[in-house]
mmCIF file of all heavy atoms in Angstrom:
data_model
loop_
_atom_site.group_PDB
_atom_site.id
_atom_site.type_symbol
_atom_site.label_atom_id
_atom_site.label_comp_id
_atom_site.label_asym_id
_atom_site.label_seq_id
_atom_site.Cartn_x
_atom_site.Cartn_y
_atom_site.Cartn_z
ATOM 1 N N PRO A 20 11.287 10.376 -8.810
ATOM 2 C CA PRO A 20 12.368 10.230 -7.809
ATOM 3 C C PRO A 20 12.408 8.684 -7.430
ATOM 4 O O PRO A 20 11.386 7.942 -7.353
ATOM 5 C CB PRO A 20 11.970 11.021 -6.572
ATOM 6 C CG PRO A 20 11.034 12.007 -7.137
ATOM 7 C CD PRO A 20 10.229 11.323 -8.248
ATOM 8 N N PHE A 21 13.619 8.138 -7.177
ATOM 9 C CA PHE A 21 13.828 6.780 -6.605
ATOM 10 C C PHE A 21 13.740 6.954 -5.073
ATOM 11 O O PHE A 21 14.408 7.802 -4.515
ATOM 12 C CB PHE A 21 15.178 6.287 -7.017
ATOM 13 C CG PHE A 21 15.391 4.904 -6.416
ATOM 14 C CD1 PHE A 21 14.969 3.819 -6.928
ATOM 15 C CD2 PHE A 21 16.158 4.802 -5.275
ATOM 16 C CE1 PHE A 21 15.192 2.519 -6.387
ATOM 17 C CE2 PHE A 21 16.511 3.606 -4.686
ATOM 18 C CZ PHE A 21 15.972 2.437 -5.290
ATOM 19 N N ILE A 22 12.786 6.289 -4.515
ATOM 20 C CA ILE A 22 12.610 6.335 -3.141
ATOM 21 C C ILE A 22 13.264 5.131 -2.357
ATOM 22 O O ILE A 22 12.838 4.022 -2.594
ATOM 23 C CB ILE A 22 11.083 6.349 -2.637
ATOM 24 C CG1 ILE A 22 10.377 7.469 -3.618
ATOM 25 C CG2 ILE A 22 10.914 6.540 -1.170
ATOM 26 C CD1 ILE A 22 10.784 8.875 -3.149
ATOM 27 N N PRO A 23 14.247 5.370 -1.543
ATOM 28 C CA PRO A 23 14.984 4.328 -0.839
ATOM 29 C C PRO A 23 13.957 3.582 0.042
ATOM 30 O O PRO A 23 13.220 4.273 0.759
ATOM 31 C CB PRO A 23 16.132 4.918 -0.097
ATOM 32 C CG PRO A 23 16.340 6.155 -0.714
ATOM 33 C CD PRO A 23 14.998 6.684 -1.256
ATOM 34 N N ALA A 24 14.008 2.314 0.161
ATOM 35 C CA ALA A 24 13.097 1.546 1.051
ATOM 36 C C ALA A 24 13.804 0.307 1.525
ATOM 37 O O ALA A 24 14.793 -0.157 0.996
ATOM 38 C CB ALA A 24 11.765 1.202 0.350
ATOM 39 N N ASP A 25 13.255 -0.340 2.635
ATOM 40 C CA ASP A 25 13.809 -1.464 3.134
ATOM 41 C C ASP A 25 13.829 -2.722 2.171
ATOM 42 O O ASP A 25 14.749 -3.402 2.000
ATOM 43 C CB ASP A 25 13.107 -1.840 4.464
ATOM 44 C CG ASP A 25 13.346 -0.824 5.508
ATOM 45 O OD1 ASP A 25 14.387 -0.189 5.516
ATOM 46 O OD2 ASP A 25 12.468 -0.746 6.332
ATOM 47 N N ASP A 26 12.644 -2.796 1.521
ATOM 48 C CA ASP A 26 12.461 -3.907 0.488
ATOM 49 C C ASP A 26 11.787 -3.345 -0.670
ATOM 50 O O ASP A 26 10.592 -3.523 -0.867
ATOM 51 C CB ASP A 26 11.503 -5.011 1.120
ATOM 52 C CG ASP A 26 12.311 -5.681 2.364
ATOM 53 O OD1 ASP A 26 13.266 -6.409 2.082
ATOM 54 O OD2 ASP A 26 11.810 -5.438 3.491
ATOM 55 N N PRO A 27 12.442 -2.663 -1.613
ATOM 56 C CA PRO A 27 11.914 -1.948 -2.752
ATOM 57 C C PRO A 27 11.116 -2.930 -3.525
ATOM 58 O O PRO A 27 11.543 -3.983 -4.067
ATOM 59 C CB PRO A 27 13.059 -1.406 -3.443
ATOM 60 C CG PRO A 27 14.197 -1.368 -2.446
ATOM 61 C CD PRO A 27 13.937 -2.524 -1.573
ATOM 62 N N GLY A 28 9.867 -2.547 -3.909
ATOM 63 C CA GLY A 28 9.020 -3.399 -4.762
ATOM 64 C C GLY A 28 8.293 -4.486 -4.209
ATOM 65 O O GLY A 28 7.386 -5.078 -4.783
ATOM 66 N N GLU A 29 8.636 -5.042 -2.971
ATOM 67 C CA GLU A 29 8.085 -6.090 -2.356
ATOM 68 C C GLU A 29 8.358 -6.163 -0.889
ATOM 69 O O GLU A 29 9.406 -5.533 -0.463
ATOM 70 C CB GLU A 29 8.315 -7.360 -2.997
ATOM 71 C CG GLU A 29 9.743 -7.757 -3.062
ATOM 72 C CD GLU A 29 10.031 -8.970 -3.915
ATOM 73 O OE1 GLU A 29 10.066 -10.045 -3.274
ATOM 74 O OE2 GLU A 29 10.426 -8.867 -5.044
ATOM 75 N N LEU A 30 7.716 -6.975 -0.099
ATOM 76 C CA LEU A 30 7.958 -7.013 1.339
ATOM 77 C C LEU A 30 9.381 -7.719 1.552
ATOM 78 O O LEU A 30 10.143 -7.360 2.387
ATOM 79 C CB LEU A 30 6.929 -7.826 2.061
ATOM 80 C CG LEU A 30 5.608 -7.088 2.236
ATOM 81 C CD1 LEU A 30 4.552 -7.935 2.972
ATOM 82 C CD2 LEU A 30 5.836 -5.731 2.963
ATOM 83 N N GLY A 31 9.658 -8.804 0.771
ATOM 84 C CA GLY A 31 10.878 -9.560 0.746
ATOM 85 C C GLY A 31 10.982 -10.413 1.974
ATOM 86 O O GLY A 31 10.074 -10.449 2.848
ATOM 87 N N ASP A 32 11.836 -11.422 1.943
ATOM 88 C CA ASP A 32 11.930 -12.458 2.948
ATOM 89 C C ASP A 32 12.329 -11.971 4.280
ATOM 90 O O ASP A 32 12.229 -12.673 5.308
ATOM 91 C CB ASP A 32 12.928 -13.542 2.474
ATOM 92 C CG ASP A 32 12.355 -14.219 1.211
ATOM 93 O OD1 ASP A 32 11.217 -14.268 0.964
ATOM 94 O OD2 ASP A 32 13.192 -14.775 0.408
ATOM 95 N N ARG A 33 12.971 -10.772 4.349
ATOM 96 C CA ARG A 33 13.463 -10.264 5.723
ATOM 97 C C ARG A 33 12.298 -9.919 6.616
ATOM 98 O O ARG A 33 12.544 -9.930 7.928
ATOM 99 C CB ARG A 33 14.344 -9.057 5.467
ATOM 100 C CG ARG A 33 15.700 -9.404 4.794
ATOM 101 C CD ARG A 33 16.584 -8.238 4.681
ATOM 102 N NE ARG A 33 16.000 -7.281 3.628
ATOM 103 C CZ ARG A 33 16.405 -6.039 3.466
ATOM 104 N NH1 ARG A 33 17.326 -5.632 4.343
ATOM 105 N NH2 ARG A 33 15.811 -5.304 2.546
ATOM 106 N N ALA A 34 11.066 -9.627 6.128
ATOM 107 C CA ALA A 34 10.073 -9.279 7.006
ATOM 108 C C ALA A 34 9.453 -10.505 7.708
ATOM 109 O O ALA A 34 9.297 -11.515 7.138
ATOM 110 C CB ALA A 34 8.880 -8.593 6.203
ATOM 111 N N THR A 35 9.243 -10.278 8.963
ATOM 112 C CA THR A 35 8.720 -11.409 9.767
ATOM 113 C C THR A 35 7.207 -11.494 9.566
ATOM 114 O O THR A 35 6.572 -10.527 9.033
ATOM 115 C CB THR A 35 8.959 -11.216 11.347
ATOM 116 O OG1 THR A 35 8.264 -9.992 11.794
ATOM 117 C CG2 THR A 35 10.497 -10.967 11.602
ATOM 118 N N PRO A 36 6.658 -12.593 9.900
ATOM 119 C CA PRO A 36 5.172 -12.720 9.743
ATOM 120 C C PRO A 36 4.364 -11.581 10.526
ATOM 121 O O PRO A 36 3.451 -10.986 10.032
ATOM 122 C CB PRO A 36 4.854 -14.056 10.386
ATOM 123 C CG PRO A 36 6.056 -14.927 10.134
ATOM 124 C CD PRO A 36 7.237 -13.969 10.299
ATOM 125 N N ASP A 37 4.830 -11.200 11.780
ATOM 126 C CA ASP A 37 4.204 -10.131 12.396
ATOM 127 C C ASP A 37 4.427 -8.809 11.732
ATOM 128 O O ASP A 37 3.483 -7.965 11.660
ATOM 129 C CB ASP A 37 4.819 -9.990 13.817
ATOM 130 C CG ASP A 37 4.366 -11.144 14.806
ATOM 131 O OD1 ASP A 37 3.434 -11.875 14.459
ATOM 132 O OD2 ASP A 37 4.961 -11.341 15.841
ATOM 133 N N GLU A 38 5.506 -8.572 11.156
ATOM 134 C CA GLU A 38 5.726 -7.323 10.371
ATOM 135 C C GLU A 38 4.843 -7.355 9.160
ATOM 136 O O GLU A 38 4.244 -6.227 8.832
ATOM 137 C CB GLU A 38 7.260 -7.261 9.890
ATOM 138 C CG GLU A 38 8.211 -6.851 11.117
ATOM 139 C CD GLU A 38 9.659 -6.915 10.749
ATOM 140 O OE1 GLU A 38 9.941 -7.787 9.683
ATOM 141 O OE2 GLU A 38 10.492 -6.233 11.206
ATOM 142 N N LYS A 39 4.663 -8.371 8.539
ATOM 143 C CA LYS A 39 3.838 -8.407 7.307
ATOM 144 C C LYS A 39 2.300 -8.137 7.769
ATOM 145 O O LYS A 39 1.731 -7.494 6.845
ATOM 146 C CB LYS A 39 3.918 -9.850 6.579
ATOM 147 C CG LYS A 39 5.258 -10.029 5.933
ATOM 148 C CD LYS A 39 5.279 -11.291 5.247
ATOM 149 C CE LYS A 39 6.718 -11.536 4.556
ATOM 150 N NZ LYS A 39 6.732 -12.770 3.721
ATOM 151 N N VAL A 40 1.968 -8.670 8.875
ATOM 152 C CA VAL A 40 0.581 -8.244 9.254
ATOM 153 C C VAL A 40 0.462 -6.731 9.463
ATOM 154 O O VAL A 40 -0.599 -6.093 9.000
ATOM 155 C CB VAL A 40 0.252 -8.982 10.587
ATOM 156 C CG1 VAL A 40 -1.042 -8.410 11.252
ATOM 157 C CG2 VAL A 40 0.070 -10.394 10.273
ATOM 158 N N VAL A 41 1.467 -6.187 10.102
ATOM 159 C CA VAL A 41 1.355 -4.711 10.250
ATOM 160 C C VAL A 41 1.411 -4.013 8.873
ATOM 161 O O VAL A 41 0.751 -2.870 8.765
ATOM 162 C CB VAL A 41 2.624 -4.221 11.155
ATOM 163 C CG1 VAL A 41 2.651 -2.659 11.246
ATOM 164 C CG2 VAL A 41 2.485 -4.795 12.484
ATOM 165 N N PHE A 42 2.262 -4.402 8.040
ATOM 166 C CA PHE A 42 2.324 -3.778 6.722
ATOM 167 C C PHE A 42 0.936 -3.928 5.963
ATOM 168 O O PHE A 42 0.460 -2.903 5.362
ATOM 169 C CB PHE A 42 3.439 -4.542 5.797
ATOM 170 C CG PHE A 42 4.751 -4.340 6.323
ATOM 171 C CD1 PHE A 42 5.815 -5.235 5.866
ATOM 172 C CD2 PHE A 42 5.172 -3.347 7.135
ATOM 173 C CE1 PHE A 42 7.091 -5.037 6.314
ATOM 174 C CE2 PHE A 42 6.417 -3.148 7.602
ATOM 175 C CZ PHE A 42 7.401 -3.997 7.061
ATOM 176 N N GLN A 43 0.272 -5.119 6.132
ATOM 177 C CA GLN A 43 -0.929 -5.208 5.481
ATOM 178 C C GLN A 43 -2.000 -4.287 6.052
ATOM 179 O O GLN A 43 -2.841 -3.705 5.329
ATOM 180 C CB GLN A 43 -1.413 -6.763 5.646
ATOM 181 C CG GLN A 43 -0.735 -7.818 4.818
ATOM 182 C CD GLN A 43 -1.284 -7.873 3.407
ATOM 183 O OE1 GLN A 43 -2.072 -6.993 2.979
ATOM 184 N NE2 GLN A 43 -0.857 -8.899 2.766
ATOM 185 N N GLU A 44 -1.930 -4.109 7.446
ATOM 186 C CA GLU A 44 -2.870 -3.144 7.972
ATOM 187 C C GLU A 44 -2.681 -1.746 7.503
ATOM 188 O O GLU A 44 -3.614 -0.994 7.220
ATOM 189 C CB GLU A 44 -2.648 -3.194 9.534
ATOM 190 C CG GLU A 44 -3.173 -4.394 10.185
ATOM 191 C CD GLU A 44 -2.898 -4.437 11.616
ATOM 192 O OE1 GLU A 44 -2.143 -3.681 12.164
ATOM 193 O OE2 GLU A 44 -3.502 -5.403 12.379
ATOM 194 N N GLN A 45 -1.330 -1.388 7.419
ATOM 195 C CA GLN A 45 -1.105 0.037 6.954
ATOM 196 C C GLN A 45 -1.575 0.165 5.511
ATOM 197 O O GLN A 45 -1.964 1.306 5.101
ATOM 198 C CB GLN A 45 0.452 0.267 7.151
ATOM 199 C CG GLN A 45 0.824 0.374 8.574
ATOM 200 C CD GLN A 45 2.326 0.739 8.693
ATOM 201 O OE1 GLN A 45 2.708 1.832 8.568
ATOM 202 N NE2 GLN A 45 3.105 -0.275 9.026
ATOM 203 N N VAL A 46 -1.386 -0.834 4.624
ATOM 204 C CA VAL A 46 -1.899 -0.809 3.274
ATOM 205 C C VAL A 46 -3.438 -0.561 3.358
ATOM 206 O O VAL A 46 -3.889 0.215 2.507
ATOM 207 C CB VAL A 46 -1.496 -1.984 2.538
ATOM 208 C CG1 VAL A 46 -2.188 -2.010 1.151
ATOM 209 C CG2 VAL A 46 -0.001 -2.091 2.254
ATOM 210 N N GLY A 47 -4.156 -1.209 4.202
ATOM 211 C CA GLY A 47 -5.500 -1.033 4.303
ATOM 212 C C GLY A 47 -5.918 0.356 4.605
ATOM 213 O O GLY A 47 -6.851 0.869 4.099
ATOM 214 N N VAL A 48 -5.136 0.943 5.616
ATOM 215 C CA VAL A 48 -5.450 2.327 5.915
ATOM 216 C C VAL A 48 -5.214 3.303 4.763
ATOM 217 O O VAL A 48 -6.077 4.245 4.482
ATOM 218 C CB VAL A 48 -4.468 2.787 7.096
ATOM 219 C CG1 VAL A 48 -4.613 4.350 7.314
ATOM 220 C CG2 VAL A 48 -4.760 1.971 8.395
ATOM 221 N N LEU A 49 -4.178 3.097 3.947
ATOM 222 C CA LEU A 49 -3.883 3.915 2.820
ATOM 223 C C LEU A 49 -4.903 3.742 1.773
ATOM 224 O O LEU A 49 -5.435 4.748 1.151
ATOM 225 C CB LEU A 49 -2.524 3.549 2.268
ATOM 226 C CG LEU A 49 -1.300 3.887 3.136
ATOM 227 C CD1 LEU A 49 -0.041 3.481 2.423
ATOM 228 C CD2 LEU A 49 -1.288 5.419 3.504
ATOM 229 N N ASN A 50 -5.380 2.470 1.532
ATOM 230 C CA ASN A 50 -6.341 2.162 0.477
ATOM 231 C C ASN A 50 -7.694 2.810 0.801
ATOM 232 O O ASN A 50 -8.308 3.267 -0.198
ATOM 233 C CB ASN A 50 -6.439 0.592 0.246
ATOM 234 C CG ASN A 50 -6.917 0.171 -1.039
ATOM 235 O OD1 ASN A 50 -6.552 -1.010 -1.486
ATOM 236 N ND2 ASN A 50 -7.551 1.031 -1.851
ATOM 237 N N ARG A 51 -8.065 2.814 2.071
ATOM 238 C CA ARG A 51 -9.267 3.445 2.303
ATOM 239 C C ARG A 51 -9.319 4.874 1.937
ATOM 240 O O ARG A 51 -10.304 5.438 1.511
ATOM 241 C CB ARG A 51 -9.581 3.386 3.841
ATOM 242 C CG ARG A 51 -10.939 3.946 4.326
ATOM 243 C CD ARG A 51 -12.102 3.092 3.875
ATOM 244 N NE ARG A 51 -13.371 3.678 4.187
ATOM 245 C CZ ARG A 51 -14.249 3.079 4.963
ATOM 246 N NH1 ARG A 51 -14.083 1.754 5.313
ATOM 247 N NH2 ARG A 51 -15.457 3.675 5.177
ATOM 248 N N GLN A 52 -8.160 5.593 2.091
ATOM 249 C CA GLN A 52 -8.054 7.005 1.716
ATOM 250 C C GLN A 52 -8.233 7.154 0.245
ATOM 251 O O GLN A 52 -8.980 8.110 -0.216
ATOM 252 C CB GLN A 52 -6.684 7.542 2.198
ATOM 253 C CG GLN A 52 -6.429 7.791 3.660
ATOM 254 C CD GLN A 52 -5.126 8.588 3.725
ATOM 255 O OE1 GLN A 52 -4.871 9.570 3.248
ATOM 256 N NE2 GLN A 52 -4.307 8.080 4.746
ATOM 257 N N LEU A 53 -7.683 6.215 -0.450
ATOM 258 C CA LEU A 53 -7.834 6.388 -1.917
ATOM 259 C C LEU A 53 -9.289 6.215 -2.383
ATOM 260 O O LEU A 53 -9.779 7.011 -3.266
ATOM 261 C CB LEU A 53 -7.049 5.318 -2.647
ATOM 262 C CG LEU A 53 -5.497 5.277 -2.456
ATOM 263 C CD1 LEU A 53 -4.868 4.157 -3.330
ATOM 264 C CD2 LEU A 53 -4.831 6.707 -2.784
ATOM 265 N N ASN A 54 -10.018 5.394 -1.753
ATOM 266 C CA ASN A 54 -11.403 5.157 -2.064
ATOM 267 C C ASN A 54 -12.295 6.333 -1.710
ATOM 268 O O ASN A 54 -13.495 6.261 -2.083
ATOM 269 C CB ASN A 54 -11.934 3.840 -1.348
ATOM 270 C CG ASN A 54 -11.176 2.625 -1.826
ATOM 271 O OD1 ASN A 54 -11.163 1.665 -1.182
ATOM 272 N ND2 ASN A 54 -10.731 2.643 -3.077
ATOM 273 N N GLU A 55 -11.772 7.304 -0.939
ATOM 274 C CA GLU A 55 -12.641 8.417 -0.661
ATOM 275 C C GLU A 55 -12.619 9.415 -1.830
ATOM 276 O O GLU A 55 -13.411 10.428 -1.766
ATOM 277 C CB GLU A 55 -12.165 9.119 0.622
ATOM 278 C CG GLU A 55 -12.077 8.340 1.864
ATOM 279 C CD GLU A 55 -13.638 7.838 2.208
ATOM 280 O OE1 GLU A 55 -14.512 8.652 2.058
ATOM 281 O OE2 GLU A 55 -13.771 6.767 2.584
ATOM 282 N N ILE A 56 -11.840 9.279 -2.751
ATOM 283 C CA ILE A 56 -11.841 10.156 -3.975
ATOM 284 C C ILE A 56 -13.022 9.748 -4.752
ATOM 285 O O ILE A 56 -13.296 8.635 -5.193
ATOM 286 C CB ILE A 56 -10.544 10.011 -4.846
ATOM 287 C CG1 ILE A 56 -9.374 10.272 -3.917
ATOM 288 C CG2 ILE A 56 -10.663 10.852 -6.116
ATOM 289 C CD1 ILE A 56 -7.995 9.955 -4.827
ATOM 290 N N ILE A 57 -13.940 10.754 -5.080
ATOM 291 C CA ILE A 57 -15.188 10.485 -5.874
ATOM 292 C C ILE A 57 -14.936 10.913 -7.276
ATOM 293 O O ILE A 57 -14.488 12.064 -7.499
ATOM 294 C CB ILE A 57 -16.314 11.233 -5.211
ATOM 295 C CG1 ILE A 57 -16.476 10.943 -3.729
ATOM 296 C CG2 ILE A 57 -17.655 10.898 -6.034
ATOM 297 C CD1 ILE A 57 -16.665 9.448 -3.428
ATOM 298 N N GLY A 58 -15.414 10.234 -8.228
ATOM 299 C CA GLY A 58 -15.220 10.521 -9.668
ATOM 300 C C GLY A 58 -16.579 11.019 -10.249
ATOM 301 O O GLY A 58 -17.641 10.983 -9.628
ATOM 302 N N PRO A 59 -16.554 11.545 -11.551
ATOM 303 C CA PRO A 59 -17.695 12.025 -12.160
ATOM 304 C C PRO A 59 -18.581 11.034 -12.747
ATOM 305 O O PRO A 59 -19.806 11.198 -13.162
ATOM 306 C CB PRO A 59 -17.191 12.947 -13.231
ATOM 307 C CG PRO A 59 -15.870 12.311 -13.628
ATOM 308 C CD PRO A 59 -15.313 11.733 -12.266
ATOM 309 N N GLY A 60 -18.138 9.720 -12.834
ATOM 310 C CA GLY A 60 -18.904 8.643 -13.368
ATOM 311 C C GLY A 60 -18.131 7.320 -13.194
ATOM 312 O O GLY A 60 -17.009 7.387 -12.613
ATOM 313 N N PHE A 61 -18.642 6.255 -13.690
ATOM 314 C CA PHE A 61 -18.032 4.961 -13.515
ATOM 315 C C PHE A 61 -17.164 4.578 -14.793
ATOM 316 O O PHE A 61 -17.565 4.955 -15.849
ATOM 317 C CB PHE A 61 -19.156 3.832 -13.286
ATOM 318 C CG PHE A 61 -19.827 3.927 -11.922
ATOM 319 C CD1 PHE A 61 -21.028 4.504 -11.798
ATOM 320 C CD2 PHE A 61 -19.215 3.507 -10.870
ATOM 321 C CE1 PHE A 61 -21.675 4.691 -10.589
ATOM 322 C CE2 PHE A 61 -19.865 3.529 -9.536
ATOM 323 C CZ PHE A 61 -21.096 4.025 -9.485
ATOM 324 N N GLY A 62 -16.147 3.853 -14.450
ATOM 325 C CA GLY A 62 -15.387 3.325 -15.608
ATOM 326 C C GLY A 62 -13.888 3.663 -15.585
ATOM 327 O O GLY A 62 -13.340 4.052 -14.523
ATOM 328 N N PRO A 63 -13.203 3.752 -16.793
ATOM 329 C CA PRO A 63 -11.728 4.036 -16.822
ATOM 330 C C PRO A 63 -11.589 5.385 -16.244
ATOM 331 O O PRO A 63 -12.300 6.418 -16.412
ATOM 332 C CB PRO A 63 -11.430 4.024 -18.299
ATOM 333 C CG PRO A 63 -12.483 3.134 -18.931
ATOM 334 C CD PRO A 63 -13.844 3.331 -18.080
ATOM 335 N N LEU A 64 -10.448 5.635 -15.568
ATOM 336 C CA LEU A 64 -10.093 6.941 -14.884
ATOM 337 C C LEU A 64 -10.078 8.104 -15.918
ATOM 338 O O LEU A 64 -10.655 9.149 -15.510
ATOM 339 C CB LEU A 64 -8.690 6.738 -14.283
ATOM 340 C CG LEU A 64 -8.548 7.617 -13.012
ATOM 341 C CD1 LEU A 64 -9.424 7.245 -11.879
ATOM 342 C CD2 LEU A 64 -7.066 7.442 -12.527
ATOM 343 N N ARG A 65 -9.576 7.793 -17.042
ATOM 344 C CA ARG A 65 -9.594 8.872 -18.046
ATOM 345 C C ARG A 65 -10.845 9.062 -18.955
ATOM 346 O O ARG A 65 -10.905 10.014 -19.740
ATOM 347 C CB ARG A 65 -8.410 8.621 -19.133
ATOM 348 C CG ARG A 65 -7.020 8.756 -18.297
ATOM 349 C CD ARG A 65 -5.848 8.591 -19.282
ATOM 350 N NE ARG A 65 -5.884 7.279 -19.812
ATOM 351 C CZ ARG A 65 -5.898 6.916 -21.174
ATOM 352 N NH1 ARG A 65 -5.861 7.905 -22.076
ATOM 353 N NH2 ARG A 65 -5.772 5.750 -21.634
#
């Protein structure tokens, strides 16, 4: 699906410096969740 967004693919020039800080924080929150997935070994995902 195509997901409509304010700045598809990047933050874009419309985001203020304060908004970008908030965006970065939210990316950190999401990234932490991804790192909680445990794999059977190290290396390529497949």
